Structures are given as C-alpha cells and as structure tokens.
Amino acid sequence: MSELLARNADSIIWLARYMERIENLARILGVAETFARDRSGANWLPVVQINADGERFFARHRIADAQTVPHFYILDPENPTSIISSVRAARENARSLRPLISIEMWRQINRMSSWMTGLSANAVSPGNLSALCTEIKEACQLHVGITEGTFYRDQAHYFYHLGKNLERADQTTRLLDIKYHTLLPRPEDVGSPLDISHWNALLKAAAGYQASRRVLAGSITPKSVAAFLLFSDSFPRSVILCVRQMDWLLTQLRSRYNLRGGGEALELLDELRAVLSDRNIDDVINAGLHEFIDWIQKQLMLIFAELREAFCPSR
Amino acid sequence: MKQSQGSSTALGLLSQYDRGPFFCELTSPRPDGTADLAAILTRLNSLDQDSLRRRTALADKEMFDLGITFTVYSDKDAIDRILPFDVLPRVITAGEWTRLEAGIIQRVTTINLFLDDLYHDQRILADKVIPADLVLGNANYHEFMRGLKVPCGTYSHVCGIDLIRDQAGEFRVLEDNARTPSGVSYVVENRNLMLQSFPDLMDGAKVRPVDNYGLMLRQALVDIAPQGVDDPTVVLLSPGIYNSAFFEHVFLAREMGVPLVEGRDLVVENDRVYMLTTAGRAPVHCIYRRIDDAFLDPEVFRPDSMLGVPGLMGAYKKGNVAVANAPGTGVADDKAVYAYMPRMVKYYLGEEAILPNVETFICREAEALQYTMDNLDKLVVKPVGESGGYGMIIGPKATRTELDEFRAKLKADPDNYISQPMIGLSVCPTLTDGGVEPRHVDLRPFAVTGAKTAVLSGGLSRVALKKGSIVVNSSQGGGSKDTWVLE
C-alpha cells in the first residue's frame, strides 16, 4: 500500500510534534534551577512565560516556585501543556498509527506512557527533578533513535519530519524570545558570572551548549547567542536549519509521491528561508528581535495550516 | 497412554494434577484412540514451576508493553487489560482436527447456504424446517438484503464456531459467531509469545503454524472483489482507537498489509467508495468491517451513527464494493436459530451434522418452556440476543432467590431464552497460584470463506481461570492458552 490516509498524515505530524515538545520542555525544566533565576533570585516565572501559560497557571497556583511549576508542567493531567498530557496525546496518535509505525516505536511510546502515568508527586520534588528530566529527555531520544532505525521511509516518514522540524523551530524561537528580554543585562551586569551562567543555561535548554562553546568560543553575548539559535548552519535546532529541512522534505514529498497539494506551504517556506538567509543579527536586533521572532512564529503557523489543509482534509 | 503418563508424571510438574470427573485435553485418553501425547506430557512434566511462573510474568509484561490489550471502560477511566496467558498449551491431535475441520466447514457452508436462501427464495421457510417468524421477526434480519447477489454467495466470510467438549470427550458446538467474531489476534500472538518465552515447551512438538491468517483473510477479500477489478484495494474498517478490540483491528490490518480506516476516512460518490489520502481520493474495493451492522451506514441503519459511512450500502447494493461480513448475517447465529442448525445441515447438504449441538430447549415453544421452568436448577439458560456471557443463569450454581427471580424473567419473556443442560466442560492443566490445576476451557476456531472455506489450524482456547468456573469470557475472568494442532 502506497497511499497514506489523510488522517494518518495528520496524526504522524502531531506525534512528531508532541515528542519534540516533550523533549524541549524536559530540557527547559531540567536547567530551570539556573535558567529561571532572575536578578532577584529564584523565580520560576519565565518557564510559565515561555509557554504563554500565565493565565491557566495562576488559576491553579498562587505562586510560581520550585514546587508548583514542575508539577504543573510534568505531572498535571489537567494542564494541556504538561508533559504527561503531551505523552498521552503522543500515545493516542501513535495508537491510531499502529498499523503504520514500527512495532518497536509503538512499544516504546506505550512504555513511556505507562511509566509516566505511574509517577508520584515525589518524582518532581527539587531533589529528583533533574534526574527525572534526564530520563524523560532520554526516552524522547530513544524514540528518535528507534524511529531512525525502524520507520519505513515512505510518505509518513516525510510528514513525521515535517512535524518535528516545525515544532523544533517554534520551540527555539519561543525560548529565545522570552529569555532575550529577561536576560538582557543592565550595563553593570555585563560579563558578570551570573550573566554568563544565564546564557549558558539558555543554551543548555536549547541543547546548544556544547556546540556554541566550540563555535562562539569566548564571546557569549546576547547577540551571539541569538545569532547562533537563529542562523547557525550546523546547529540542529537553529531556526534556519529546521526551515531548510522542511523545505527539502516538502519538495521531496511532492515530487516523489506526486502530491499536488502543498504549493502554498512551499511558497511560505521559501519566503521564510529567504528572509532567514538574507538577514544578519544586527539587522534583526536593530529592527526589533521580538518583532522578527513574532513574524517567524506567524509564518510557521501559516505553514502548518497550509500543510494540513493540503494533505489532511477531513470528510 | 495411561501407563506412560503414570510413570512420567510421578515427580514432575503434573504430579499433583487431578482432572476430576472431566475430560482433560492433555491427560485423558483420546476417545478415537489414535493420539499419543506421551512425548508432550513428558516434556511438560520436566518443566520447573517457578521458572514457568517467572516467564509468565515477563510474558504478561511484554503483552502489556506491546499493547496486546483490550480496553475496559469504567465511568471515568479507560483501562488497558491483557487477556491473561496460561503457558500450558491445549493440544488437539491430528485425528481430532481432521474431524473438527470437516465439521466446521460443513457448518459454515450451511450458514452461508441458509443466508443465501433466506435473502432469496426462502425455501427453508416454505418447507417449514425453521419457523418463519423466528427469522423474519429477528432484529438481525435485513429486508434490504433480499434479492441482493453477493460475490461467491458468501455472507459470513469470517466465522468463529465456539466449541466445548463434554465429559465423554465429544466436541459440541455451543454457539456460532457469524457476524464479526473477534479473538483471532490472540491465536497468533499467543503462539508468538509461546515461541519467544517458552521455546523449550515447543521443542520437538510438531505444531501447525497459525501465522498465515492474514494471508487467508486477504485472499478471501480479494476473492469477493467487485467484477472487473484486478488488483483491488482492501481496507479494514474499524470504529477507531476507543473500541475495545482495536488491537485486533491493528493486528489484522498489519497482517493483511492493508490500511486501517475509520468511517470518517471514507466517502461515497456516485455509489463508489473512496478513502481520503494525502494525494486526494483513492478508490476502495473491499472492506473488512469490524463495525456492527447498525453503525455501518446512517442512511440505512442507525441515523445517529458517527462511525459509519453515509451511502456505503448504496455502493454495496450496486456491487461496487464488497463488504465482509455481509450485513444481516446475525440472523444465522442467533441462539434460537442455532437450535435448528443440525436440521439445516441435513436440509441443505443432505448430511448429518459432523459436530453435534448441545441439546437445546427453545423457550418460545411451550413444552420446552415448561421443561425449563421445571428444571431450572439443572439447566443453563441464556438470552438469545446477548453475548459475552451476560444475562445468563447457571442453574446448578444459582441460589434459590436467583432461581426465583430468573423464573419470573423467563415467564415474562420466554421468546428471549433458550436453555441447555449443564455440560461438564473439559479441562486443561493450568498454572494457578496453587500449582497446576484443572481449569475449564472452550475452543473457538476461525473459518475464512471467500470462494471456498479454509479453517485456521488452531483456535482460541479460552480458559476460565477461576476455580470451578465455566465462564470463559475475557470480560469475566477468562484467560487464554496457545492451541496446538499437531501434524
């Protein structure tokens, strides 16, 4: 069978998005102790801000601290952006895809879901949080590895990677958007140990610490970090790399499988790619980083909507 | 065989085993005298109970991880359960199987001939072999099927025949499942599990394989493809991931190598069926549906059905799409119709039924009702329309109050019931908390019919894990065993 059901294409995109989202969130929570600290001390608020969850969070909790935020984002089944909610959604999608994905992919997601469902509140206490986040992250990476090694390379595979890169680009822009503003130092703090550790935490949250050390060497500045996350040719989570991947994947899909749809999405992707290739970081910061990121996110949303309209129509 | 059993089991796994008054699928001498299970018994007897227990636990975990589960819904939760797997196999000898296979083919052939007759000439009603109102008044009889020619004359493409074995070792048909019988995935997965976790049990045993089921089913569906379609697109139509048997749907789609679709993936235009794909609409020719008749097409059956496909029956009537099992097969596996099955075999084939029924009293008949009322404490009484073991009473095990309550129900609506003597179901050695003990089993072999009928060389052996229980249904504490049909 070579056809791919429209509903399955939708599910596979979502499966990839959820798994990518879980990994990113686990990474952010794993470095949150450093990451979330602002100049006045420990503050878990930025984690809530990155996910734009302020309203829902404060409807459930009075303060954002080391108890409430990890619970809200990892174990709270009532919170649709929690890891457990994403895991369940990923499993639900994987379940509907069982005839399509490898048995090993399904088995691992199923196991991850039952493992996480069985966690107690104690698992997210300050002493256990970091280890838990590492385990969650590794479960996601196991998924990635099993997928690489077992998932048959047909249409579904391309849709999977479209979803994954879309989510990745989105996550990187969110991270940068919030942190760039909260982290912009006052003149007297520039180069201080606290300042440096903030940027390091941001890079760790984006899984870019090691790579950025090699590339940026000593010059860890707001500008160099922003440039790295947006424009690096080689960092797997940079926005431009994700967009290039999507462009390639969609082109392949259309030519290899004779899919007529997706023209509008391709045009949007080309435009986004062109802008990311042409701009340098000084242009971006002068014109406003937030505005630029906002525009990227809107483009990504449009691309997603076009993809679904073109390939995942429902009755 | 008795002697060899005596010597080989003196100290081993089966040394404490006592089958009681029942026929035992492993240790009783075969009535046909041909079988010799000594080698298998010796092997089983040499196994270490603790090791079996450990490996059973691992096998259970693996089934859970792999999602070889059925879903039980409570008010607020959906719980995935495994069908507990008992490691000790149920063995059917080559001689027994030859007869079973012939009996099943005879029965399925009769069911298809009956349905064809019922939906065309209704000779059997005119000849008064079966009361007309029993079938024509049946909720599962669909007038719209009347006069419709179905490919190969096959209505019940997948048929599960539930068999039990009485104290004399005689196989008897307990129930026919002609609509959308489930359970075949466990037949194959149990074997996979056996080969993976207990290879030492199977070592040297010449057991017929069961992993060809997907190909059998696919072939049957290709057989019934609309005329002129050379390379038909086959799909499996499922109610979706929330259906308790979803795993089986996944399994069958995978084994056949066909898309698993839901109603919302299909559209009908100009009486042709299409599925919605990333490349647009793609034609569909054969549908193995795992949705009940009532939900198939809201334009014909239940108008509130969200699971079905509007217009599907229109395309079906035009012959543009094949549907298996055909709508309206439920009239043939009704528990009241069941009672007439031996007479139907004779009527259509001129043969005696190879596999006897369990003696059945049809409570719609006055004499049978009186007998049932008088002997309620000795009989098993079942509602004709229920499945899953619900709504029945097992007289010998019921309390006085339960019997009185049931008698009132029976009196109020006798047409809804049949009664049968309580059969001492055969047992099989089963690993329990208290060691290896006898537990009652049944057998559901699967017959697949396209142009002709083939029976999978195996079957689902369900086992009532509760001591003394004869209710084998998964929803009520049943488990399953690997079923070995010997070469």
Side-chain angles (χ1 to χ4, degrees), chain B residues 212-221 446-448 454-457:
Chain B
N212 56 331
Y213 185 79
L215 300 177
M216 284 167 63
L217 182 54
R218 196 194 164 104
Q219 185 55 52
L221 289 160
F446 291 87
V448 179
V455 186
L456 182 68
S457 298

Side-chain angles (χ1 to χ4, degrees), chain B residues 249-270:
Chain B
H249 307 164
V250 169
F251 170 87
L252 292 170
R254 186 176 71 213
E255 294 297 309
M256 287 194 284
V258 306
L260 188 161
V261 304
E262 297 177 17
R264 57 185 160 143
D265 297 319
L266 301 180
V267 289
V268 178
E269 204 178 273
N270 295 326

